[in-house]
């Protein structure tokens, strides 16, 4: 990969050389979530500081508090952040409420084209309205929900033999959600090396976005749609279709029959901990965790494998994660912040971003002939990014998320009512939101 990007690296160095003379050195603050990729970005940004003369500071907030903290900052017109790596669902509010600087003219002036990035990340992280060439961010971190599994357990001859006898197929990467459920149930309560283990860690967290980011990986693949494809904001029969109901029932069965005790409020961190400590055979989680899995002495070094979210009766999709990087409209240092965007977009910087553990969305990186074999999880990342769907990115995103969290958690975890009642209620909730927004 490095060899293929050497010529662009030289060109980028020439482009960057004028930064410090073109502008006064500034102290820039970049705001993001507190997680492993943020530490990689600190390391990567040392190159920007050296070339531009600007100093970088970072405001990182843990994921459970990230949305509340940063959306409050934007809504109040705060000047803490010059650059914001905001969640994909924020793009609508960032654009319509004037929080983010529109970047079209800047992109045109600096030969930055969205055609150079993975299409799903442009739609998910940069565009508003969706599928229009209006850009308020540069794709910064590609991410998607996928699965990690204990490859070393799956390969044990005695477990292979028992699974083959029970299910009539080899114990391996599942081709469907039903096969995934079978595997989870096979490992549930099983003794592995004197320890009781469980089938899977899945997202169940209620307080922020966790269970929504989990259940959609079943809903999409059973036929759930956010709206009528031919009539925006027409929800009846799409959000609560027969397929969507079956998908929600599937996720509840996964919760009831494959997860560890006490996992009623789990999200990214809890799933990571359960997997690394040897509690579960599989974990649902965003792809950002995979570098850490590989480096872990307990589960790395070939002990783990990776696979995309399996197909369901209505197709194969996975919940999009990830973020774009935006210039905050309230910043008094927008020129310097734009320099950072220009630097970050360079192919050699994006290649280094991948090497450090960041997930580049640049085609020149992910389509490089050496990418798929550059890490054990690289091919799974590519396959997963090809099947993504995302939650609402409407300006009222938070008002749409809260009732979904409540309705789904009440059914899946608390066992209240039926799947149909949960989704019928969600339709009513969302219709009310869109009526208040003047969309209906």
């Amino acid at each position: 990969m490095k060899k293929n990007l050497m010529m662009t690296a030289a060109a980028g160095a020439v482009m960057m050389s004028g930064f410090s003379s073109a502008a006064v050195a500034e102290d820039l603050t970049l705001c993001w979530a507190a997680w492993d990729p943020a530490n990689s970005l600190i390391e990567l940004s040392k190159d920007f500081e050296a070339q531009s003369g600007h100093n970088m500071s970072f405001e990182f907030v843990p994921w459970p508090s990230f949305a509340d903290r940063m959306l409050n900052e934007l809504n109040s017109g705060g000047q803490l952040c010059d650059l914001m790596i905001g969640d994909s669902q924020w793009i609508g509010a960032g654009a319509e409420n004037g929080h983010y600087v529109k970047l079209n003219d800047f992109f045109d002036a600096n030969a930055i084209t969205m055609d150079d990035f993975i299409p799903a990340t442009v739609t998910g992280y940069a565009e508003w309205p969706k599928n229009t060439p209006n850009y308020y961010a540069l794709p910064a971190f590609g991410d998607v929900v996928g699965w990690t599994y204990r490859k070393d357990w799956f390969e044990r001859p005695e477990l292979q033999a028992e699974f083959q006898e029970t299910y009539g197929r080899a114990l391996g990467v599942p081709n469907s959600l039903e096969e995934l459920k079978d595997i989870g149930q096979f490992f549930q309560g099983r003794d592995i090396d004197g320890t009781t283990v469980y089938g899977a860690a899945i997202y169940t967290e209620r307080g922020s976005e966790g269970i929504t980011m989990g259940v959609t990986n079943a809903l999409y693949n059973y036929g759930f749609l956010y709206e009528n494809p031919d009539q925006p904001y027409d929800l009846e029969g799409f959000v609560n279709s027969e397929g969507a109901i079956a998908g929600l029932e599937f996720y509840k069965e996964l919760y009831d029959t494959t997860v560890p005790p006490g996992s009623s409020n789990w999200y990214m961190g809890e799933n990571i901990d359960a997997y690394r400590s040897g509690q579960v055979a599989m974990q649902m989680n965003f792809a950002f965790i995979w570098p850490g899995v590989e480096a872990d002495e307990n589960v790395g070094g070939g002990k783990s494998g990776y696979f995309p979210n399996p197909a369901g009766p209505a197709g194969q999709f996975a919940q999009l994660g990830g973020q774009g990087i935006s210039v905050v409209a309230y910043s008094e240092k927008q020129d310097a912040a734009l320099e950072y965007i220009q630097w970050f977009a360079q192919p050699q910087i994006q290649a280094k971003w991948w090497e450090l553990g960041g997930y580049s969305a640049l085609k020149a990186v992910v389509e490089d002939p050496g990418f798929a074999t550059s890490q054990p999880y690289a091919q799974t990342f590519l396959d997963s990014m090809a099947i993504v769907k995302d939650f609402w990115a409407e300006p009222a995103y938070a008002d749409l998320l809260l009732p979904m969290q409540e309705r789904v958690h009440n059914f899946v975890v608390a066992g209240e009512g039926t799947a149909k009642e949960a989704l019928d209620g969600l339709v009513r909730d969302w219709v009310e939101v869109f009526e208040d927004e003047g969309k209906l």
Side-chain angles (χ1 to χ4, degrees):
M1 291 177 66
K2 290 180 179 177
K3 181 178 179 181
N4 292 345
L5 293 170
M6 284 176 65
M7 301 214 27
T8 37
V14 172
M15 179 182 71
M16 285 296 298
S17 65
F19 277 5
S20 58
S21 61
V24 175
E26 298 278 13
D27 293 323
L28 291 173
T29 298
L30 186 152
C31 296
W32 200 12
W35 57 336
D36 288 347
N39 298 324
S40 299
L41 188 64
I42 293 175
E43 183 64 27
L44 182 72
S45 297
K46 292 176 181 177
D47 177 271
F48 173 75
E49 292 179 313
Q51 293 193 38
S52 69
H54 301 308
N55 297 313
M56 294 298 298
S57 297
F58 300 91
E59 184 73 17
F60 297 147
V61 179
W63 272 112
S65 306
F66 177 56
D68 284 345
R69 174 70 181 86
M70 291 307 169
L71 290 176
N72 285 337
E73 177 69 20
L74 293 173
N75 289 331
S76 67
Q79 295 183 330
L80 169 65
C81 310
D82 303 297
L83 291 152
M84 175 75 75
I85 302 185
D87 226 349
S88 57
Q89 295 94 353
W90 302 4
I91 196 72
E96 291 197 10
N97 296 330
H99 299 325
Y100 294 161
V101 173
K102 189 174 183 181
L103 297 174
N104 288 57
D105 291 344
F106 172 75
F107 287 167
D108 291 344
N110 291 278
I112 297 172
T113 172
M114 291 296 96
D115 292 340
D116 289 343
F117 292 84
I118 300 171
T121 67
V122 175
T123 302
Y125 310 154
E127 291 178 350
W128 191 260
K130 297 297 183 185
N131 302 307
T132 69
N134 297 284
Y135 306 119
Y136 293 85
L138 182 92
F141 188 87
D143 206 359
V144 57
V145 172
W147 292 84
T148 316
Y149 72 101
R150 288 298 300 266
K151 188 177 179 182
D152 54 340
W153 294 358
F154 278 45
E155 292 175 346
R156 292 190 178 194
E158 70 277 13
L159 296 183
Q160 283 276 345
E162 183 181 343
F163 190 88
Q164 180 71 45
E165 182 178 352
T166 303
Y167 295 98
R169 66 176 190 274
L171 174 57
V173 170
N175 293 311
S176 69
L177 287 174
E178 284 294 329
E179 290 185 5
L180 181 142
K181 183 180 67 177
D182 289 344
I183 295 169
Q185 292 173 346
F186 176 76
F187 279 100
Q188 186 73 352
R190 181 171 292 275
D191 182 279
I192 300 282
D193 298 333
T195 300
T196 301
V197 305
Y198 303 92
I202 66 174
Y203 290 165
T204 58
E205 182 263 0
R206 178 169 177 164
S208 60
E209 63 175 14
I211 198 166
T212 297
M213 295 295 100
V215 73
T216 47
N217 296 281
L219 292 179
Y220 296 152
N221 295 350
Y222 275 81
F224 168 98
L225 295 174
Y226 285 102
E227 57 191 341
N228 182 343
D230 300 319
Q231 185 178 340
Y233 310 113
D234 177 20
L235 312 181
E236 184 66 41
F238 298 91
V239 171
N240 56 348
S241 66
E242 290 299 318
I245 292 167
L248 185 53
E249 290 172 341
F250 170 87
Y251 201 76
K252 177 169 177 54
E253 187 175 4
L254 206 61
Y255 175 76
D256 287 342
T257 64
T258 72
V259 306
S263 60
S264 62
N265 195 40
W266 282 16
Y267 197 16
M268 295 178 279
E270 291 83 2
N271 284 17
I272 292 169
D273 291 343
Y275 185 79
R276 287 180 172 174
S277 63
Q279 294 182 53
V280 293
M282 302 180 291
Q283 69 158 320
M284 160 190 284
N285 224 321
F286 284 109
F288 84 89
I289 71 159
W290 292 339
V293 169
E294 280 300 304
D296 189 275
E297 61 181 11
N298 294 322
V299 296
K303 294 179 182 177
S304 293
Y306 313 90
F307 60 88
N309 190 49
Q316 185 176 13
F317 306 98
Q319 175 60 50
L320 180 70
Q323 302 87 32
I325 182 169
S326 300
V327 176
V328 177
Y330 314 113
S331 168
E332 296 180 346
K333 306 167 187 175
Q334 291 183 18
D335 288 344
L338 289 168
E339 290 178 25
Y340 188 92
I341 300 283
Q342 183 183 3
W343 165 82
F344 187 72
Q346 297 174 91
Q348 81 279 5
I349 298 301
Q350 288 292 303
K352 186 176 180 182
W353 181 218
W354 168 251
E355 292 171 8
L356 290 173
Y359 280 63
S360 174
L362 190 70
K363 289 180 182 178
V365 175
V366 301
E367 294 178 359
D368 185 278
F371 180 85
T373 56
S374 64
Q375 295 290 350
Y377 46 80
Q379 186 63 56
T380 301
F381 173 70
L382 290 177
D383 294 341
S384 298
M385 289 303 296
I387 59 172
V388 292
K389 285 192 175 187
D390 200 11
F391 188 74
W392 294 106
E394 291 283 327
Y397 135 79
D399 294 327
L400 297 164
L401 178 63
L402 290 174
M404 186 160 185
Q405 284 285 107
E406 180 178 0
R407 297 280 186 183
V408 171
H409 196 277
N410 285 352
F411 171 69
V412 170
V413 175
E416 297 179 7
T418 67
K420 184 178 189 307
E421 290 169 344
L423 293 177
D424 286 348
L426 185 59
V427 169
R428 293 192 298 271
D429 295 335
W430 283 358
V431 165
E432 183 177 347
V433 171
F434 287 129
E435 286 177 341
D436 291 343
E437 291 286 302
K439 302 289 178 68
L440 290 174

